[in-house]
Amino acid sequence: MKKVKGKKKGMFIFLCIIAFVVSFAGSALFKATYKSPEMKKYTVNWNDEIGAVYTDISYGEKEANKFDIYAPADASKSNYKLVVYLHAGGFTTGDKADDKEMLQWLCSKGYVAVGINYTLRSEEHPEASVYSQSIEIKEAMPVIIEKAKELGYNIDAMAISGGSAGHALAMLYAYRDADTSPVPVKMLFGAVGPSSFYPEDWKCYGFDQDGSEEAAAELFGIMAGKPITVDMLGTPEYDEQMKDISALFWVDENTVPSVLAYGAYDKVQSFDASIRLDQKLTEYGVAHEYIVLEHSGHGLQNDSKKYTEYMEKVEEYLNEFLPVD
């Protein structure tokens, strides 16, 4: 492929970035809309006998710094486990309310379940990046633990999870920030979240092609919240600059058990990056499940049996690594 020059190069960069934003923003609907009979057990008829919801609790000064708590009706126990679920939306859209069914189900199992909003990248907030969002999530945790305690739920351990962009942020907290968590992080689960940003892996945007270097550098710089130049690509300096938003780089022998689901035909984020993640988790002997939906894209829409397997593994890992007392 010949290198693109001048105005054509600028248009190529623009189109790559717009394609990413539009398609990734649409990932707020990444879950299949069809629910198989097997999946119905992961929804509940929410009522006061299951729990109560406390909405829009502030954890910071920014407008989006709010979280919801789904608290079990039984508040008599001495300790509770927390599960945080972070919303999808391509880092530019989405809301904690989008995941109410997941949060309700988790609460019905006896967990204190929490959805968190974070500052989305937009015209009003062009400074927002994956890194700044991950820091907001990190800063929310002590406030969540304290608020739960005020409500009568003493948290002694937690899991974190999410879908798409939320999964990426959840991995960063579980793999990068677990050492600073106010309570031990016991496991992670999530689907279709990017874990690394090697341009050659992002074939879905043509970043493996000659002439795409500037587009890749600009897009990944936006995500990292720092300048990335073409000269950095493929160097140790690039890895260092991208480390703060690349969960892959934080995997070691202490990484928490993880359940991961990815679509083999994902055109929104890099499927190849998930292969790298699976290989590194395996290399370090981390307990994990890497579930590939072989006929699905980012929405995981064409493999209902495999998606059910993913949820079954989530439940299995919760019971093993974060059992309700």
Side-chain angles (χ1 to χ4, degrees), residues 59-111:
Y59 68 85
E61 296 181 356
K62 297 178 181 179
E63 183 179 358
N65 291 167
K66 302 281 175 42
F67 63 91
D68 296 344
I69 292 181
Y70 291 69
D74 180 4
S76 64
K77 299 178 182 179
S78 58
N79 293 298
Y80 289 81
K81 304 298 189 287
L82 167 70
V83 181
V84 170
Y85 195 92
L86 303 176
H87 71 77
F91 311 104
T92 61
T93 66
D95 187 89
K96 50 189 169 52
D98 299 337
D99 300 307
K100 67 179 182 179
E101 287 190 359
M102 173 66 78
L103 295 164
Q104 290 170 354
W105 173 71
L106 289 164
C107 183
S108 75
K109 289 179 62 64
Y111 296 105

Side-chain angles (χ1 to χ4, degrees), residues 98-287:
D98 299 337
D99 300 307
K100 67 179 182 179
E101 287 190 359
M102 173 66 78
L103 295 164
Q104 290 170 354
W105 173 71
L106 289 164
C107 183
S108 75
K109 289 179 62 64
Y111 296 105
V112 174
V114 170
I116 308 175
N117 276 356
Y118 43 89
T119 302
L120 302 170
R121 183 176 175 83
S122 64
E123 290 184 4
E124 292 78 17
H125 296 285
E127 79 289 349
S129 65
V130 178
Y131 178 70
S132 67
Q133 292 165 352
S134 74
I135 295 302
E136 289 183 19
I137 298 301
K138 179 179 178 179
E139 292 174 346
M141 294 305 175
V143 182
I144 290 169
I145 300 300
E146 185 58 34
K147 184 61 180 180
K149 187 174 182 179
E150 289 177 13
L151 294 171
Y153 303 87
N154 184 59
I155 305 296
D156 64 356
M158 68 172 286
I160 190 164
S161 51
S164 193
H167 181 206
L169 295 170
M171 285 190 288
L172 288 173
Y173 188 80
Y175 298 173
R176 188 193 70 191
D177 298 329
D179 289 347
T180 63
S181 178
V183 296
V185 181
K186 295 296 187 178
M187 63 164 286
L188 168 136
F189 65 91
V192 298
S195 59
S196 62
F197 301 91
Y198 291 107
E200 62 269 26
D201 290 348
W202 287 69
K203 300 178 181 68
C204 47
Y205 293 98
F207 290 166
D208 59 325
Q209 301 295 314
D210 289 343
S212 66
E213 293 86 359
E214 288 192 22
E218 186 163 346
L219 177 58
F220 294 154
I222 288 171
M223 299 179 76
K226 62 182 72 173
I228 299 294
T229 65
V230 171
D231 291 341
M232 292 180 185
L233 300 178
T235 69
E237 181 185 3
Y238 177 73
D239 288 355
E240 188 61 32
Q241 291 297 314
M242 298 301 293
K243 183 177 181 180
D244 284 339
I245 66 165
S246 299
L248 177 75
F249 294 163
W250 300 90
V251 172
D252 61 22
E253 62 276 3
N254 298 314
T255 296
V256 298
S258 304
V259 182
L260 313 165
Y262 286 92
Y265 287 93
D266 201 328
K267 301 300 182 184
V268 175
Q269 65 89 42
S270 169
F271 174 70
D272 287 352
S274 76
I275 297 174
R276 288 186 191 261
L277 180 60
D278 174 47
Q279 290 173 341
K280 194 163 186 182
L281 290 167
T282 301
E283 175 188 347
Y284 280 99
V286 177

Side-chain angles (χ1 to χ4, degrees), residues 2-33:
K2 294 181 180 179
K3 292 191 175 182
V4 187
K5 297 181 180 180
K7 291 183 179 180
K8 289 185 178 180
K9 180 185 287 187
M11 181 58 68
F12 178 72
I13 295 171
F14 174 76
L15 291 175
C16 282
I17 294 172
I18 291 299
F20 177 86
V21 170
V22 171
S23 58
F24 223 138
S27 69
L29 301 175
F30 87 99
K31 300 173 192 171
T33 55

